[in-house]
């Protein structure tokens, strides 16, 4: 899940302190890192990379996806983050017809590694949901197993206060209530504000 790194259209919380051009450069670097990790992981596993883009038209998005190494490139469409994520999952399941696990990642985690993706994939062999816990109360990865993909579950994506510090807890609590035992991966710091850059540069 990525946003086109155009000045003034991404990393808006960084724009206030660093300006639109610097914020866009940071976003571009983060996207490049995320795609690089996904491509490396694909070399060791039977993975298909779907790039879900916002901020571009279909032709430009397809061109960007092809140049970045993604297998498929789609537009995220309208709506909040939950609606966009569920829409992408529905499309993956509809077009692949054989997905038994799907992992969603954003492009804000400079510490993302191939081992993170491999751990999430392996976890979904025997568990139905995996979450990468973020310091700000959100999550940097969401993985769903077959039972939650056919059909795609509604509950992880609706009535969530996106962008707040309750996202992870709300999602995990709903999973427990429905009888699913979510696995939490390592707690990580993603990049949303200037202070996060300080941690990144250490």
């Amino acid at each position: 899940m990525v946003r086109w790194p155009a000045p003034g259209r991404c990393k808006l919380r960084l724009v206030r302190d660093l300006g639109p051009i610097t914020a866009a450069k940071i976003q571009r670097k983060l996207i490049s890192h995320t795609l690089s990790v996904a491509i490396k992981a694909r070399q060791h596993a039977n993975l298909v990379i779907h790039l879900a883009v916002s901020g571009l038209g279909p032709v430009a998005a397809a061109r960007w996806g092809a140049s970045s190494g993604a297998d498929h490139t789609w537009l995220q469409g309208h709506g909040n983050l939950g609606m966009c994520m569920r829409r992408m999952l529905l499309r993956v399941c509809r077009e692949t017809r054989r997905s038994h696990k799907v992992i969603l990642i954003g492009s804000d985690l400079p510490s993302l590694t191939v081992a993170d993706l491999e751990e999430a994939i392996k976890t979904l062999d025997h568990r139905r949901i995996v979450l990468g816990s973020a310091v700000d109360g959100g999550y940097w990865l969401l993985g769903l197993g077959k039972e939650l993909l056919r059909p795609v579950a509604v509950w992880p994506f609706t009535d969530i206060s996106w962008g707040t510090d309750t996202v992870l807890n709300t999602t995990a609590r709903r999973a427990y209530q429905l009888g699913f035992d979510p696995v939490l991966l390592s707690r990580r710091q993603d990049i949303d504000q200037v202070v996060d850059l300080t941690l990144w540069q250490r």
Side-chain angles (χ1 to χ4, degrees), residues 10 20-21 38 45 59 62 78 102 118 136 139 150 155 160-161 180 185:
C10 64
I21 294 176
V59 175
H78 300 292
V102 176
E118 291 176 340
D136 63 5
Y139 53 75
R150 305 243 178 228
W155 57 267
I160 301 286
S161 298
F180 303 116
L185 303 181

Side-chain angles (χ1 to χ4, degrees), residues 46-60:
N46 183 25
L47 304 182
V48 179
I49 300 173
H50 303 271
L51 187 66
V53 181
S54 68
L56 278 179
V59 175

Side-chain angles (χ1 to χ4, degrees), residues 68-126:
S68 69
D71 297 298
H72 303 283
T73 303
W74 300 324
L75 300 185
Q76 291 183 22
H78 300 292
N80 63 28
L81 179 59
M83 292 175 63
C84 291
M85 288 195 295
R86 188 165 187 270
R87 183 181 297 122
M88 292 302 100
L89 286 176
L90 286 166
R91 184 161 184 180
V92 167
C93 291
R94 182 176 67 248
E95 299 202 5
T96 63
R97 298 185 180 277
R98 58 186 179 84
S99 296
H100 62 281
K101 62 181 76 168
V102 176
I103 294 169
L104 291 170
I105 55 175
S107 56
D108 299 331
L109 191 72
S111 61
L112 181 71
T113 67
V114 172
D116 291 325
L117 302 185
E118 291 176 340
E119 181 181 3
I121 292 166
K122 186 176 296 184
T123 298
L124 290 173
D125 286 337
H126 54 89

